[in-house]
Amino acid sequence: MKTTFTIIALMALFTFTSCKNGSDKKVIAEAKTGDTLAPVAKDDSVFKPFKIMAVTHIVKDFDVWKKSFDEHESMRTANGVTLRAMGRDMKNPNKVLIFLNIEDLQKAKEFSSSKDLKEAMQKGGVTSKPETVFVDVVRFAESPAEFKDRLRVTHKVKDFDAWLKVYDAEGKETRLANGLIDRAISRNIDDPNMIYITFAVNDMAKAKARIKDPALKKIMTEAGVTSEPVFDFYTSVN
C-alpha cells in the first residue's frame, strides 16, 4: 500500500513539473511533513531605500487648501512627485505635513522652487514660507492602521552609523513600552547627519512622557546627537 502511494505521488510530481515547463518559475522551499512534501513560498522581499520630498507649511483653512491640493495632482505627477502621506499638526491643525514620493531628485528640486508650485500654494491659501527637505528613507515599516497619531523626531548627529548602533541597542521593545511604534528613519540628502525618526503612537501619554524623560536625553547624548531635538506630533489624514 505504501509503495503504491509512493508511485502515485511520484507520478503526480512528474506531471506537475512537466506542466510548469516553459512558464514563469517561482522558487519554493520544500518542508517535509511526515511522508509528504509541502511547498512553502520563499519570501524574497527586501527593503529598498526610497526618496521623499517633505513639505511643511501653514494654511488659512485646511479644507479649502486640501481641495486645491487635490486639484493640482496632475501637476505633481508631471513633475515626478506623488502623494505618499499627509498629516496635520496636533497643536495647530492648519499646519500641514506632506510627504511626496520622488521619481527624479533633480526634477523634484526644480519643481519645489517653480513658479507653478508657488502659484498653486497661493491659490490654496498657504500663509507661511514652506519648509522643504529631501530625504533618503533608509528604514521603513508599516504600523497598524488603527494608530493614526505620529511623532517625528528631528535632530543632527556626529556620525550616523554610531548613532544607529545606540538606537538599535535601545531596542524597539523599549520604544514600544513607551507608546512608540518604529515606523521610519530618514536622512537629509543634503546633510546626511540630519536625521528624521518617525513613530506611530499607540499611547500618547506615554509618548509625551518619554520625550521629557532624562533617560532619553542620556541615550541621545551617548548616540552623539549634536542639536536640540525637535518633536512634532501630528495625525495622519490619508
Side-chain angles (χ1 to χ4, degrees):
M1 183 67 177
K2 185 173 182 180
T3 302
T4 302
F5 176 80
T6 302
I7 292 172
I8 293 172
L10 288 172
M11 289 177 67
L13 178 61
F14 177 78
T15 302
F16 175 75
T17 54
S18 297
C19 291
K20 291 293 287 182
N21 188 32
S23 63
D24 292 337
K25 295 181 179 179
K26 182 177 182 180
V27 179
I28 62 170
E30 293 183 333
K32 189 170 183 180
T33 307
D35 291 332
T36 63
L37 293 175
V40 179
K42 182 180 179 181
D43 183 5
D44 290 325
S45 60
V46 177
F47 170 75
K48 295 180 180 179
F50 54 92
K51 299 182 188 302
I52 290 290
M53 171 178 162
V55 183
T56 303
H57 55 48
I58 297 172
V59 300
K60 287 181 182 178
D61 182 288
F62 177 80
D63 293 332
V64 172
W65 169 84
K66 183 63 164 57
K67 184 175 184 295
S68 177
F69 178 84
D70 291 343
E71 290 172 350
H72 289 90
E73 181 180 2
S74 59
M75 178 183 70
R76 292 189 297 275
T77 301
N79 285 278
V81 295
T82 54
L83 180 64
R84 184 181 185 88
M86 182 185 296
R88 300 178 71 178
D89 186 87
M90 289 185 182
K91 290 183 178 179
N92 179 6
N94 284 330
K95 180 179 178 181
V96 187
L97 299 86
I98 310 108
F99 305 95
L100 301 157
N101 292 311
I102 296 173
E103 290 181 5
D104 182 289
L105 178 59
Q106 186 56 41
K107 191 173 182 179
K109 285 188 172 184
E110 291 171 0
F111 172 63
S112 71
S113 59
S114 69
K115 180 181 178 181
D116 288 345
L117 181 58
K118 184 177 181 180
E119 290 177 350
M121 287 185 172
Q122 289 176 340
K123 180 182 177 181
V126 174
T127 61
S128 68
K129 182 178 179 180
E131 175 190 327
T132 304
V133 295
F134 298 87
V135 303
D136 281 314
V137 180
V138 297
R139 282 191 189 177
F140 180 80
E142 291 288 356
S143 52
E146 63 266 29
F147 300 122
K148 297 293 186 181
D149 291 340
R150 303 278 186 267
L151 168 62
R152 183 178 67 172
V153 183
T154 304
H155 57 54
K156 194 167 185 176
V157 299
K158 291 179 183 177
D159 180 274
F160 175 77
D161 292 332
W163 170 83
L164 187 60
K165 185 176 180 180
V166 176
Y167 179 84
D168 286 341
E170 178 193 29
K172 64 181 181 180
E173 293 81 7
T174 298
R175 293 185 287 273
L176 183 59
N178 286 281
L180 301 171
I181 303 171
D182 288 12
R183 189 167 171 84
I185 296 177
S186 306
R187 303 178 71 181
N188 189 300
I189 290 173
D190 298 311
D191 183 358
N193 283 331
M194 182 63 74
I195 311 300
Y196 310 86
I197 312 103
T198 304
F199 303 97
V201 180
N202 68 352
D203 189 313
M204 186 58 67
K206 287 183 178 179
K208 288 186 174 181
R210 180 59 172 172
I211 66 174
K212 298 177 181 179
D213 189 345
L216 179 60
K217 184 175 182 179
K218 181 181 179 182
I219 290 171
M220 287 185 171
T221 300
E222 292 173 350
V225 173
T226 60
S227 67
E228 190 68 26
V230 176
F231 301 99
D232 292 307
F233 285 97
Y234 66 96
T235 301
S236 175
V237 294
N238 68 318

